[in-house]
Amino acid sequence: MRSTLQSPSEEYQPLALFEQRCRTIYRLTCKHGTEHALRLEDERATPESFRRACHIRFAEAQILILEELIQVQDSKKELNAKLKSARKGRDKLASTEVKQQIGLENLKEHIIRKLADSIAWHLIGGQNYIARRLCLRESSRPTLKASNLASVLNFVNEYNGSNPLGFALISDITSFVQLGDVLLIGGNGLQIIEVKEGAKNHESMSFIAENLLTEAEDEQIRKALDDHPLNEQIRRILRQHTKMTQATTLLNTGGGIDPATGERVQIPDMYHTEEHYFDELQNLITQLGPKKDWALTVLEGGLYIGAYKGVWRRLGPSLLRRTAYEEINDTYPVTSLREGLAQALVEPIFVKPLSEDQIFDITFGRVAVFILLRLDQMLSLYSGTPARAEFLSVKQSRKQQEKCREHSLFTHEGQCVRVVYPTGTSFLMGDGVRTRVVFDTLTPQCVVAMSASDSTSAV
């Protein structure tokens, strides 16, 4: 979980105006609906009125997010041109300064996209298994001006203006919605919409409509494509259509092909209640004050959490390691909660039940929260479940990593972890387990219980 963010510093100072704009967007995306409902009299406070109020402000926030992203992307384009020029002129000082400016623009983009993710997270009910099906694990996001933005914006504005109980979100402004142009939640549930423009696209779509009548006639369209002048265009649209169909089928039926991996997936009917350590996290941050610059707690399952401000932000990781390693001479990574800004498939910090000031202090680096997960203690929790967890040898682990290049496996000192069920089935623990504990703030006990319940658990 290596981060592209800068290390904690005074970097937030030149971002004061940007932070104020982000706070405005945050209130529109995460606070307005609740505040609106509280102002209503009991007989007028209905689920429908709450949803309408949220969607009205989501629409306002979406436009502000779009404006911020375009501004950031324009700025990065100019800075990259300056960096190229500085490198060509071998001006190391100028190169260093431009790199720092690019770093700040990257931070801005991460923050803005996480605010957009907050809208998406509300629309999908905070369900991680839905978010995973919408994400293709692409490392970069599109440049908005290079996309069919005008057509997409026109579509979402028209839909949102006439469907107050539904909402259409532009996919390209988010971190994790990487299917289609629009994520739409309405009367027909979740839909992924592709908005096509231009003569070539319309011609391609007409060709597909005329030839792709049933799945059995797939060979027919393949043969027809060989001689078509828009061969590549049509194939690209077909690939997009296939992935969108796979995602919607999987989410609506509970079984099918995962569009990100191409693997068959079965979503379990029953889910464990998610248990978070929000209270402990909030308590730690609240302890920080004029006379206290750090606070520390240790939770069951080997979870060490430290909150720091001032100069202690730089000392936090080493202090947390020292606390964790008093008993054993092992090393586990220390992760900053703030690094979640650069992670696509995590719960946005803006939807966590922390105060606005706490959220923005973490986001802009004034407060640092570091988390260390001791794998040995977490794995011991499996002893109380039907499943068991075991380390593979280094040699076995290398073989498994070669086989699972598409997945990031959870390893410690070169060893993978295998969870085995009473039925004999097993799975290799992915790095998503640590992600869920650190960035989704799930307790180790909860994650172990979810993964130990059955082999289809979508941890």
Side-chain angles (χ1 to χ4, degrees):
M1 293 186 293
R2 299 179 65 182
S3 172
T4 59
L5 299 181
Q6 295 179 331
S7 59
S9 67
E10 300 306 315
E11 65 190 25
Y12 55 82
Q13 289 184 351
L15 298 174
L17 292 177
F18 174 73
E19 179 178 347
Q20 291 305 313
R21 297 196 298 273
C22 288
R23 284 180 180 254
T24 297
I25 296 171
Y26 164 76
R27 291 164 191 155
L28 292 172
T29 58
C30 301
K31 292 295 181 183
H32 178 78
T34 302
E35 293 172 353
H36 174 79
L38 290 174
R39 289 195 298 267
L40 294 176
E41 298 177 4
D42 291 342
E43 64 270 14
R44 295 173 56 207
T46 64
E48 289 75 17
S49 67
F50 174 79
R51 200 177 308 149
R52 286 192 189 95
C54 288
H55 292 173
I56 289 171
R57 299 311 178 197
F58 285 174
E60 293 179 22
Q62 179 162 240
I63 298 303
L64 294 178
I65 289 170
L66 194 59
E67 292 173 351
E68 291 290 340
L69 275 179
I70 289 174
Q71 184 176 330
V72 165
Q73 291 182 342
D74 285 347
S75 178
K76 287 172 65 175
K77 184 178 180 180
E78 293 177 7
L79 288 169
N80 283 322
K82 288 182 180 179
L83 181 60
K84 184 178 180 180
S85 177
R87 284 173 171 169
K88 187 176 181 180
R90 298 186 178 182
D91 189 337
K92 293 185 178 180
L93 179 60
S95 294
T96 300
E97 291 177 349
V98 174
K99 285 179 182 178
Q100 290 175 343
Q101 292 173 12
I102 291 174
L104 285 178
E105 294 303 316
N106 284 335
L107 173 62
K108 287 182 180 180
E109 182 164 357
H110 287 312
I111 293 171
I112 289 297
R113 288 194 184 279
K114 273 290 169 247
L115 285 165
D117 288 355
S118 299
I119 298 177
W121 212 254
H122 288 306
L123 296 178
I124 65 175
Q127 297 297 326
N128 181 272
Y129 79 92
I130 297 179
R132 290 171 64 186
R133 309 311 165 201
L134 298 174
C135 183
L136 300 179
R137 279 71 165 177
E138 295 174 347
S139 57
S140 61
R141 300 299 285 135
T143 300
L144 293 170
K145 284 188 174 179
S147 64
N148 57 330
L149 180 59
S151 297
V152 173
L153 187 58
N154 182 59
F155 175 88
V156 299
N157 285 341
E158 285 188 5
Y159 180 87
N160 292 335
S162 57
N163 296 273
L165 294 179
F167 191 78
L169 176 67
I170 300 173
S171 301
D172 284 352
I173 67 174
T174 71
S175 300
F176 74 88
V177 183
Q178 298 173 356
L179 281 172
D181 294 316
V182 177
L183 176 66
L184 189 148
I185 305 294
N188 295 322
L190 183 150
Q191 292 179 273
I192 302 168
I193 307 295
E194 190 79 19
V195 181
K196 292 297 180 186
E197 67 173 2
K200 289 185 177 180
N201 273 325
H202 287 301
E203 184 180 345
S204 300
M205 294 298 287
S206 297
F207 177 84
I208 292 170
E210 291 169 4
N211 289 274
L212 190 61
L213 302 177
T214 68
E215 187 175 348
E217 295 171 344
D218 185 54
E219 187 62 27
Q220 173 184 325
I221 192 170
R222 290 183 184 278
K223 290 180 179 179
L225 273 176
D226 291 339
D227 300 321
H228 199 284
L230 295 177
N231 185 319
E232 291 303 317
Q233 181 96 347
I234 295 171
R235 288 185 186 278
R236 181 178 62 81
I237 293 174
L238 278 173
R239 286 195 297 269
Q240 293 172 338
H241 180 267
T242 298
K243 288 182 181 296
M244 289 190 296
T245 301
Q246 289 172 341
T248 51
T249 299
L250 180 56
L251 292 173
N252 290 329
T253 66
I257 303 298
D258 185 333
T261 64
E263 298 175 355
R264 181 161 292 278
V265 175
Q266 182 68 42
I267 299 173
D269 294 329
M270 297 296 293
Y271 279 86
H272 287 267
T273 301
E274 293 189 346
E275 297 175 359
H276 297 264
Y277 52 91
F278 292 136
D279 291 343
E280 292 84 351
L281 180 59
Q282 188 173 55
N283 180 54
L284 279 180
I285 302 171
T286 303
Q287 289 181 45
L288 303 180
K291 296 183 179 181
K292 189 170 184 180
D293 290 346
W294 66 273
L296 173 72
T297 191
V298 182
L299 305 183
E300 184 182 358
L303 187 62
Y304 293 70
I305 312 169
Y308 309 87
K309 70 182 185 69
V311 296
W312 288 87
R313 291 174 300 160
R314 297 187 182 279
L315 301 173
S318 60
L319 291 174
L320 208 57
R321 286 192 185 95
R322 185 177 300 176
T323 302
Y325 305 149
E326 286 181 350
E327 298 177 6
I328 59 172
N329 187 26
D330 249 339
T331 56
Y332 294 109
V334 175
T335 308
S336 167
L337 182 61
R338 185 173 183 248
E339 290 176 30
L341 292 171
Q343 302 286 327
L345 278 175
V346 301
E347 179 186 68
I349 190 172
F350 300 106
V351 303
K352 296 186 186 298
L354 302 173
S355 73
E356 179 177 328
D357 285 341
Q358 289 174 336
I359 287 172
F360 279 87
D361 281 345
I362 294 171
T363 298
F364 285 87
R366 295 183 288 270
V367 168
V369 174
F370 294 107
I371 300 170
L372 183 150
L373 180 61
R374 264 185 57 171
L375 182 59
D376 59 322
Q377 293 187 8
M378 179 176 170
L379 295 187
S380 69
L381 298 175
Y382 279 96
S383 63
T385 74
R388 75 175 191 275
E390 58 189 22
F391 279 105
L392 300 183
S393 69
V394 173
K395 184 177 180 179
Q396 289 175 317
S397 298
R398 287 200 191 105
K399 289 182 179 179
Q400 293 298 335
Q401 287 175 307
E402 285 293 320
K403 291 180 182 178
C404 304
R405 290 183 179 273
E406 298 297 319
H407 303 279
S408 177
L409 297 179
F410 193 2
T411 61
H412 176 60
E413 296 185 340
Q415 292 180 276
C416 297
V417 175
R418 178 167 55 202
V419 176
V420 184
Y421 299 96
T423 58
T425 59
S426 65
F427 78 93
L428 291 173
M429 187 177 287
D431 201 51
V433 169
R434 180 161 48 210
T435 297
R436 297 226 68 190
V437 172
V438 174
F439 297 127
D440 292 347
T441 50
L442 292 177
T443 65
Q445 300 96 316
C446 175
V447 172
V448 166
M450 291 167 69
S451 66
S453 60
D454 58 47
S455 58
T456 61
S457 182
V459 179

